[in-house]
Amino acid sequence: MTDLTVLVVGSGGREHALALAIAADPGVAAVHVAPGNPGTWHSWPHHAIDATSGEAVAALATDIGADLVVIGPEAPLVAGVADAVRAAGIACFGPSGEAAQLEGSKQFAKDVMNAAGVPTAASFFCRTPDEVAAALDELGAPYVVKQDGLAAGKGVVVTTDRDEALAHAAACGDVVVEEYLDGPEVSLFVITDGTVGLPLQPAQDFKRVGDGDSGPNTGGMGAYTPLPWAPDCLVDAVMERVVMPTLEEMTRRGTPFAGLLYVGLALTSRGMRVVEYNARFGDPETQAILPLLESPLGQVLNAAATGTLAEIGPLSWRDESAVIVVAAAENYPGTPRMGGSIEGPRLYESADNVHIVHAGTALDGDTLIAAGGRVLGVVATAPTLTDARDDAYAALAELDFPTGFWRTDIAAKAAAGLIPPVTSL
Ligand code: AMP
Ligand code: GLY
């Protein structure tokens, strides 16, 4: 199908990256964003709606004559917004509310993985402090405690301090306590119509706030793709041992998963293990991956939304590397300092191999200001990872954002060849 009108729902960096890639598809006639952010408002018509209201999203999609709605963030998916859009007779890229429980509940995801025979960390579901204490002692340090429900990337504590683990559990309510996984992490995204899965290029995300992976977890401070240290068989192995069994198990349960299955993996010394599932494109990995995609994203997502993915061949990619570095507001992931001004080149348009995606920005008159934790991302593509990294950091140096900060080591080890190649999965 061509001449598509596509509505992208959400307001973060991921949605900005999705809108850019969808708009670049020659089969797409128009892109709308709702609610969007100052970066996307600059390029496409926008609509101020509550993205978590199925009624509001379905009504807007009907009004603007959307052929396809693409839902970016997890909250609307878990709230069943995709169901409401489909009920209005409009194709929607995004899983049903029930299928989005793969992300909405850590324990649901564990149940599915265990039923499907997917390799993952041993775990206990705990409802009381006594159950948490027993699980911590059974599994030993380092301790991993995960809030059961959605937590915007901040519900997980990994620590050797038993008291900190207990305190986090007490603050969360129901938790999953699980075995610690060593080894490098990989994010693999799969576009699926519930039956067929099309993998994207793997990426690596940097979850901790500080250089050298120090400090608390965040939503993600940067990412790069492809992964020079990962084995060639990685994608096939994940499709065979993780993705296909999971899709089959979801179908068996009567809640097929159609949309984006995000597989977070640890490549441990004992083999690969799933760390988590998400039910949507990852942020910020998406911002690095999509600029390298050559296939027409709007048409691919439309095929997934209409159950015709089998008609689309494997995705094709530019033979380059991409790096995104996130600029966050001072004090993130604690309460971020809002209102700081942002100036510099490329805030709305770029003529070279570097561009900026907006996430937590706002306009104060004509001035762009920080209005969230992760404020924006600088994305560079180049023939080598080293060049992409250098170009992203050179662009950050040109940014005038005194209340912002960023990690200085995104993709540094990989570019320097310091991540030992993984040879067995
Ligand atoms: P999650 O929300 O489950 O992705 O967890 C966020 C981050 O916490 C992951 O990307 C890992 O860096 C870390 N993490 C989660 N589970 C484990 C685990 N079992 N072992 C070690 N680190 C983990
Ligand atoms: N990059 C991690 C996430 O999107 O959850």
Side-chain angles (χ1 to χ4, degrees):
M1 188 167 172
T2 52
D3 270 345
L4 293 168
T5 292
V6 182
L7 171 62
V8 177
V9 176
S11 62
R14 158 187 47 218
E15 288 76 37
H16 195 165
L18 280 163
L20 283 167
I22 291 167
D25 176 347
V28 170
V31 170
H32 292 245
V33 296
N37 62 40
T40 56
W41 299 342
H42 181 82
S43 303
W44 303 287
H46 62 98
H47 309 271
I49 58 160
D50 173 5
T52 60
S53 161
E55 213 177 315
V57 174
L60 172 62
T62 306
D63 265 9
I64 64 171
D67 302 294
L68 174 69
V69 176
V70 176
I71 300 178
E74 58 273 24
L77 291 167
V78 171
V81 171
D83 305 271
V85 172
R86 282 189 279 267
I90 298 170
C92 185
F93 183 79
S96 68
E98 278 181 312
Q101 283 304 308
L102 268 189
E103 171 161 9
S105 163
K106 298 276 186 199
Q107 180 55 23
F108 176 84
K110 279 286 177 191
D111 269 353
V112 170
M113 287 184 234
N114 290 331
V118 167
T120 185
S123 68
F124 295 95
F125 181 56
C126 304
R127 290 179 174 275
T128 67
D130 285 348
E131 286 173 8
V132 172
L136 295 177
D137 294 340
E138 172 76 24
L139 293 171
Y143 305 109
V144 181
V145 179
K146 302 186 171 188
Q147 180 175 322
D148 184 43
L150 289 185
K154 294 185 252 171
V156 178
V157 157
V158 180
T159 177
T160 52
D161 179 346
R162 191 170 179 276
D163 290 337
E164 189 189 347
L166 286 167
H168 180 64
C172 286
D174 294 350
V175 293
V176 171
V177 175
E178 71 176 31
E179 171 195 10
Y180 176 78
L181 301 173
D182 63 2
E185 286 183 47
V186 173
S187 303
L188 183 73
F189 302 163
V190 179
I191 293 169
T192 175
D193 59 7
T195 311
V196 175
L198 274 188
L200 279 69
Q201 200 164 272
Q204 190 173 49
D205 172 25
F206 293 75
K207 287 260 167 56
R208 301 281 185 143
V209 73
D211 281 357
D213 295 327
S214 60
N217 269 326
T218 68
M221 295 297 290
Y224 67 96
T225 183
L227 309 176
W229 47 268
D232 290 339
C233 62
L234 174 70
V235 171
D236 287 347
V238 178
M239 291 304 290
E240 185 188 326
R241 284 155 59 189
V242 176
V243 174
M244 295 320 293
T246 298
L247 295 181
E248 283 157 21
E249 173 62 19
M250 293 298 284
T251 299
R252 198 188 62 74
R253 290 174 179 229
T255 53
F257 185 96
L260 194 291
L261 181 64
Y262 167 132
V263 185
L265 297 153
L267 306 188
T268 79
S269 46
R270 289 166 297 134
M272 69 174 174
R273 301 277 186 278
V274 174
V275 176
E276 64 164 343
Y277 285 138
N278 290 323
R280 37 83 194 168
F281 282 92
D283 192 345
E285 298 97 308
T286 300
Q287 290 90 306
I289 293 171
L290 292 184
L292 299 183
L293 180 68
E294 281 178 341
S295 306
L297 185 65
Q299 295 170 70
V300 173
L301 298 184
N302 192 53
T306 53
T308 55
L309 211 49
E311 292 165 22
I312 306 259
L315 300 175
S316 57
W317 300 93
R318 276 164 55 195
D319 187 17
E320 292 203 328
S321 290
V323 173
I324 170 169
V325 182
V326 170
E330 224 167 72
N331 203 44
Y332 176 75
T335 308
R337 178 162 166 199
M338 307 287 218
S341 66
I342 308 158
E343 288 175 47
R346 303 189 193 83
L347 284 173
Y348 299 102
E349 265 156 33
S350 164
D352 59 11
N353 64 322
V354 181
H355 67 274
I356 289 177
V357 287
H358 291 232
T361 60
L363 285 170
D364 179 8
D366 286 339
T367 309
L368 194 66
I369 58 169
R374 292 185 296 167
V375 176
L376 54 81
V378 174
V379 185
T381 59
T384 69
L385 192 53
T386 301
D387 289 345
R389 213 184 155 259
D390 289 350
D391 291 351
Y393 278 108
L396 273 161
E398 290 171 15
L399 201 65
D400 184 9
F401 179 21
T403 61
F405 73 95
W406 45 86
R407 279 183 65 159
T408 65
D409 63 347
I410 302 300
K413 275 192 187 164
L418 294 176
I419 303 183
V422 172
T423 49
S424 71
L425 295 170

